Each structure stands twice: as structure tokens, then as C-alpha cells.
Amino acid sequence: MPQGEHIELHRKRYGRRLDHFEKKRKKDARQVHLRSKQAQKALGIKGKMLAKERYKEKVTLKKTLAMAKERDTEKKVPGQDPAGAVPAYLLDREQVQRAKVLSNTIKQKRKEKAGKWEVPLPKVRPMAEDEMFKVLHSGKRRKKSWKRMITKATFVGENFTRKPPKFERFIRPSGLRFKKANVTHPELNCTFQLDILGVKKNPNGQMYTSLGVITKGTIIETDVSELGLVTPGGKVVWGKYAQVTNNPENDGCINAVLLV
């Protein structure tokens, strides 16, 4: 039995220390000073990594605050123009009403949520880790088993370079790497072979998304510049999302439907 379950069991039976939350509050308060000291001492690449991590945290915090924030905007009330003549000092003044409006971030989030399920395949079969990875035994006597070979189709960027074999944990075989996808436009009923720009979301989890694994139901970004699509504002659309509708590792190609 893992040690963590003993701790959970003891906690359920006897509860926490009486001063647990006070100690936790003090620890959190000290954490700020410790992080500051660490940031001042970190030099070179470690300093850069620390700064990048902190920057990401701040961005996330600002986004969260912006989502929660409501702001006042002024809206012109329609049909409030006076019938008769208006004095000179009132000419520049407009009749406005105050209205609470949610920030654009929340609206955008709502749009994304609403459109999240508007995909050709809303549900896909979850895949086990054994099905996705094959265990590779390494070391002089083949006793070490920390390496994994991905058995599904993958996408890697243009300038991708493998790590040295000694340090490579996840191996993506070059025979299962794909650069193009057969994308069907649902309104035009035409299929085009387009370049893949990246993997947006794999339904099996974030780890597979970051590894670029492409399975059935995965959302990929494709280069649609050849199709000549334009926005209502007249700008050319370069990249658009598409959902994979087949099993690429079985078919040897990626078939997808464009999300319009």
C-alpha cells in the first residue's frame, strides 16, 4: 500500500493538528520571501527559467482577474433625440445610460464553451496507456524500463531534432510521423491535402497533446491559405482547426473534417 493512503486514513480517523491551518498560513506568507531570495540568487539559464515560470503565473493570474472583472461602459440610448431646438451648450452632450457589461474575455470564453461540442465526433473511445505506448527495455542487461515508444501517429515540427538516445524518454518513430492531412470542407464537400501546423487538443489528455500524438477525435490546426478563405473583415485566414475522423495508425493517412 502506498504511504500516501496511510496518511489519508490517519487524517480521516484523527483529523489534522490543531494548529495546522495557522502553520499553513505562515508557511504561505514566508513563501513569498523565499521565492524572492531564490530569484535574486538564480543566475544564467536557471534565472531565465525561473523568470519565465513566474511570467506565466502572472499572466494566468491577470487573465483570471480580467475574467472576473466587470466594467462600466457608456451606451447611447436610441430614440432620445429631443423634438425641438436644443441650446448650444447641450449640442455636444449625448444621452447615455450606464450598463454593466462583462469583459470581452468572458464573452470569448463563453463562445469557446458553446462551440466546444460542435465537432463531428463529440465522443471518442478513451485509450489506455498500454495501447498508446510500448515499453522499451534499455541498459546493459535490459533491466531498465523507463523508455516508451509511441505506437500512434504523431506530428513533430519542421525543425524537430531528436534528443540523444541516452536521454530520450518518448520515442516517436519516423514511420509514424505525419506532415499532411486530407481535410474535408463540410460546406463545399471537397477534400484538400493540407499541411498540419500543430496538434491543438488530444481527447485522451494533455500529455498526448504536448507529444503531438494524433488519434481519432484529435483537433489539429491546418494551413488553409491555399483555400483562399477570408474573414468578414477581408483578412486572409491562414490556419483553421479540423477534427481527425479516422485511425491514422491503421490507415496510414490522416482524414479530418474542417471545423467551420
Side-chain angles (χ1 to χ4, degrees):
M1 188 188 281
Q3 184 66 31
E5 288 180 23
H6 287 297
I7 294 168
E8 289 295 322
L9 195 62
H10 186 275
R11 212 170 266 164
K12 279 178 185 174
R13 283 177 183 165
Y14 307 108
R16 297 178 185 272
R17 289 171 56 121
L18 295 174
D19 61 345
H20 167 76
F21 293 105
E22 182 64 18
K23 283 170 78 73
K24 190 173 184 298
R25 184 188 64 78
K26 287 182 177 178
K27 188 180 179 181
D28 291 343
R30 285 196 302 272
Q31 200 64 31
V32 183
H33 302 289
L34 291 171
R35 287 184 73 174
S36 170
K37 200 174 282 183
Q38 188 185 357
Q40 286 172 25
K41 284 185 179 179
L43 300 171
I45 189 71
K46 284 190 177 178
K48 284 183 181 177
M49 285 165 70
L50 202 70
K52 195 175 180 183
E53 195 181 321
R54 185 71 185 124
Y55 172 74
K56 279 182 187 173
E57 283 176 21
K58 283 185 176 177
V59 167
T60 314
L61 186 67
K62 279 185 180 176
K63 280 184 181 175
T64 314
L65 291 171
M67 278 172 64
K69 190 175 74 175
E70 290 184 346
R71 64 170 187 233
D72 292 335
T73 58
E74 293 185 349
K75 284 186 178 177
K76 190 174 180 181
V77 182
Q80 291 285 334
D81 299 326
V86 182
Y89 60 87
L90 287 178
L91 282 173
D92 294 335
R93 194 181 298 174
E94 289 182 342
Q95 298 293 323
V96 295
Q97 67 175 7
R98 311 291 287 178
K100 291 263 182 186
V101 179
L102 290 171
S103 65
N104 288 334
T105 323
I106 292 187
K107 287 179 185 171
Q108 192 61 36
K109 291 275 176 191
R110 280 183 185 165
K111 276 184 187 173
E112 283 176 18
K113 262 191 181 174
K116 192 178 278 185
W117 311 111
E118 293 170 17
V119 288
L121 300 173
K123 283 185 179 179
V124 288
R125 181 180 67 85
M127 285 192 181
E129 199 172 308
D130 304 340
E131 194 180 346
M132 197 81 78
F133 298 127
K134 179 187 172 187
V135 179
L136 286 187
H137 297 284
S138 58
K140 190 176 179 182
R141 291 176 180 80
R142 296 286 178 266
K143 293 269 183 170
K144 295 174 182 175
S145 55
W146 56 273
K147 289 191 174 193
R148 299 285 181 273
M149 183 185 280
I150 298 170
T151 58
K152 303 291 177 187
T154 55
F155 168 78
V156 293
E158 197 66 41
N159 303 319
F160 172 72
T161 310
R162 281 182 63 180
K163 284 183 183 175
K166 193 174 179 181
F167 306 112
E168 191 175 32
R169 174 157 162 70
F170 295 105
I171 297 163
R172 288 168 272 197
S174 53
L176 283 170
R177 293 183 201 163
F178 288 86
K179 290 186 177 178
K180 289 184 180 287
N182 304 318
V183 182
T184 305
H185 197 295
E187 291 172 4
L188 301 174
N189 289 331
C190 295
T191 304
F192 308 92
Q193 193 171 56
L194 305 175
D195 290 325
I196 300 171
L197 297 176
V199 177
K200 172 68 177 170
K201 189 169 174 38
N202 188 307
N204 292 297
Q206 177 58 36
M207 184 174 74
Y208 304 119
T209 307
S210 57
L211 285 169
V213 179
I214 300 172
T215 53
K216 192 173 184 177
T218 304
I219 306 292
I220 56 172
E221 192 174 5
T222 54
D223 183 5
V224 293
S225 55
E226 298 171 15
L227 307 186
L229 300 175
V230 290
T231 61
K235 290 182 179 178
V236 178
V237 179
W238 294 101
K240 215 157 175 54
Y241 294 132
Q243 189 182 32
V244 178
T245 54
N246 71 324
N247 292 311
E249 69 280 0
N250 296 344
D251 302 340
C253 65
I254 296 174
N255 298 333
V257 176
L258 206 66
L259 304 180
V260 290

